[in-house]
Amino acid sequence: MIPRFRPSIGLAEFLALFRVRRNAVQEFEREFASRMGVSEAVAFPYGRSALWAFLRAVGIRDADIIIPAYTCSVVAHAIALSGNRPKFVDIRLTDYNMDLDALADAIDENTRAIVPTHIFGYALDMGRVETIVRDAESRYGHKIWIIEDCAHSFGASRDGRLVGTYGDTALYGLNISKIITSIFGGMLTFRDEGLAAKIRIWRDAEFQKPGLLKPWLRRLYLLATFVAFNERVYGFTWWLQTKTPLLNRLTKAYHLDDKIHFPPDHLDRMLDVEASVGLVQLEKYGEIVAQRQRNAAWYDEHLPERDDWTLPPIVDGATYSHYVIRTNDRRTFLEACAKHQVELGQLIDYSVPDLDPYKVEEQCPNSRVASETVINLPLSIPESRRQMVLDAIGHCP
Ligand SMILES: *Cc1c(COP(=O)(O)O)cnc(C)c1O
């Protein structure tokens, strides 16, 4: 079965699991920064820990932090756990990114930071975000931090400029579902070396050395992932996931959408073994992104127009964390494709302001529409597999 996503890991990553250099984390930080076109990077055990730490380290408390309504729930959880409140701005259905007119209206005197997210690898117009924020800063007389969320958009650019090179800091997630992975892990990048140094010192004081067993559990996890996502085995993985509670139970400690919650090891430092895998992934990074772009372009060209779906926008510089189609009949598509050995994804199937802990009066209708209608096609597949995806979709009634 063709999985909805598949980490691009192979022999080099396995060798990296057992040839771990002592200062791999520092090396990973340096290489990461250089790849992302900035001067500094600071590593964390998860993306969510990185966001939480940033808000704490710069001293933002009891404030509103603006985020898009359509994003990963961990962003809101990190804000809540840092002692702040997420404030939601609706998205546009044209590219699923935050509506910048609505952003300008949402900022008020309680706003201390915003998290502009480049969702699905589509770069948001950061020039405009900066203008909106500078205006608001002069109106309210205090700094408003800009934290770009690049967890979906490694390497994406707009008018030739990379995402992650605008705000005060940029956030990356590195779990196995991201474009590149360090098993788990998260990263903040900086253009300002003084700010990076401050965050690094704060991290070193607050985050602890992980237990001796953890590097081995992480190795085991990566090996299991590799097996589980193998095309020949994936039918079984899919069965475990959809027909039994087993895998969900295993991932519960790590991820819950409707409860404000962090995994128990969220204050551990990134492991050298994780950084070691991340370093290999950075070497492959150009090719990984290029493959996704080639597959997306092929889908753009070959997917037929249908009345019952909306194809993804074609945007220059997009790197496609996900190739998303909107349809009112998501279940039919998912089931029909699964019968033909192709798994489609149903990612972010909630609008964050509709989740239990955040229930708010104000509506974000576009975010809700996206959460109810988006499906995504496999992208990390070899060229020889594309036609199989197309055929499976062709069988959808
Ligand atoms: C994955 C992700 C993060 C970070 O997630 P972690 O699992 O904590 O590493 C942040 N923002 C978005 C939009 C994400 O998809």
Side-chain angles (χ1 to χ4, degrees):
M1 185 177 214
I2 296 181
R4 68 185 188 281
F5 80 90
R6 180 165 194 234
S8 310
I9 48 178
L11 186 62
E13 283 78 1
F14 291 137
L15 294 176
L17 285 183
F18 300 99
R19 270 193 216 146
V20 177
R21 277 189 298 264
R22 206 166 242 263
N23 291 319
V25 173
Q26 282 106 306
E27 214 177 309
F28 185 37
E29 289 177 338
R30 271 198 303 277
E31 283 297 313
F32 195 92
S34 135
R35 276 287 165 166
M36 302 307 157
V38 292
S39 58
E40 295 283 339
V42 180
F44 290 87
Y46 299 97
R48 62 197 84 172
S49 305
L51 175 57
W52 172 87
F54 182 82
L55 295 170
R56 295 287 306 270
V58 300
I60 306 173
R61 271 241 173 227
D62 198 25
D64 287 347
I65 315 291
I66 294 183
I67 67 172
Y70 192 58
T71 186
C72 186
S73 61
V74 302
V75 174
H77 296 350
I79 290 168
L81 290 170
S82 74
N84 294 286
R85 298 171 297 272
K87 182 170 183 182
F88 305 102
V89 165
D90 205 5
I91 58 164
R92 291 165 312 183
L93 288 171
T94 44
D95 67 358
Y96 305 100
N97 273 324
M98 184 150 70
D99 180 336
L100 296 187
D101 295 326
L103 170 66
D105 293 340
I107 299 180
D108 64 20
E109 70 274 12
N110 296 320
T111 308
R112 294 282 167 160
I114 65 165
V115 183
T117 304
H118 310 282
I119 203 105
F120 303 150
Y122 298 120
L124 186 67
D125 182 352
M126 285 303 297
R128 174 133 190 253
V129 170
E130 287 187 331
T131 309
I132 291 169
V133 167
R134 298 290 96 89
D135 269 8
E137 283 178 337
S138 57
R139 195 170 331 125
Y140 299 116
H142 61 241
K143 178 164 176 66
I144 298 172
W145 298 85
I146 300 179
I147 305 159
E148 274 185 85
D149 186 344
C150 303
H152 277 199
S153 56
F154 289 68
S157 61
R158 187 181 179 111
D159 303 325
R161 182 162 163 191
L162 277 174
V163 301
T165 62
Y166 289 86
D168 296 290
T169 183
L171 167 69
Y172 294 83
L174 289 157
N175 69 51
I176 53 153
S177 75
K178 306 300 185 192
I179 292 179
I180 61 168
T181 184
S182 52
I183 315 183
F184 284 91
M187 201 69 94
L188 290 175
T189 64
F190 300 88
R191 294 179 293 159
D192 177 343
E193 288 172 20
L195 182 57
K198 176 175 168 166
I199 302 298
R200 186 172 279 117
I201 289 167
W202 197 89
R203 178 201 61 183
D204 291 346
E206 300 288 329
F207 285 66
Q208 72 226 4
K209 197 168 154 23
L212 288 176
L213 194 57
K214 188 168 169 186
W216 293 98
L217 292 174
R218 286 296 198 243
R219 286 184 177 99
L220 202 62
Y221 176 84
L222 193 73
L223 292 168
T225 303
F226 181 75
V227 174
F229 284 88
N230 181 288
E231 212 179 288
R232 286 201 199 100
V233 179
Y234 196 71
F236 180 62
T237 310
W238 181 84
W239 178 83
L240 282 179
Q241 175 74 49
T242 51
K243 310 285 180 200
T244 77
L246 195 72
L247 292 186
N248 279 342
R249 208 171 294 153
L250 277 176
T251 55
K252 224 177 198 162
Y254 163 66
H255 189 99
L256 293 170
D257 289 322
D258 50 15
K259 197 165 156 241
I260 296 177
H261 154 95
F262 263 4
D265 61 346
H266 71 278
L267 281 178
D268 281 358
R269 296 197 187 127
M270 183 187 270
L271 292 159
D272 282 326
V273 63
E274 292 177 305
S276 181
V277 170
L279 279 163
V280 175
Q281 290 268 288
L282 275 181
E283 276 171 40
K284 294 187 179 173
Y285 161 83
E287 179 43 39
I288 291 173
V289 168
Q291 185 201 33
R292 306 181 78 84
Q293 289 176 319
R294 282 197 302 272
N295 284 339
W298 191 86
Y299 285 142
D300 285 341
E301 204 174 304
H302 290 85
L303 284 172
E305 296 282 339
R306 292 176 61 136
D307 291 339
D308 57 348
W309 72 19
T310 309
L311 293 174
I314 298 179
V315 178
D316 273 350
T319 51
Y320 299 99
S321 64
H322 304 85
Y323 188 91
V324 298
I325 293 173
R326 219 160 61 235
T327 169
N328 288 327
D329 203 1
R330 171 153 80 179
R331 173 171 286 222
T332 308
F333 277 89
L334 260 59
E335 283 174 1
C337 285
K339 269 203 198 100
H340 292 87
Q341 299 302 307
V342 172
E343 185 193 29
L344 304 182
Q346 175 179 320
L347 79 164
I348 319 188
D349 50 5
Y350 50 81
S351 172
V352 186
D354 289 339
L355 292 175
D356 264 343
Y358 304 109
K359 281 249 158 47
V360 283
E361 285 301 307
E362 71 212 79
Q363 304 266 317
C364 291
N366 290 341
S367 172
R368 189 175 292 162
V369 166
S371 74
E372 287 167 354
T373 56
V374 155
I375 53 176
N376 61 294
L377 269 47
L379 264 190
S380 39
I381 50 171
E383 276 173 37
S384 58
R385 282 292 179 256
R386 293 166 180 169
Q387 191 60 44
M388 192 172 151
V389 175
L390 205 64
D391 293 345
I393 289 177
H395 284 104
C396 298

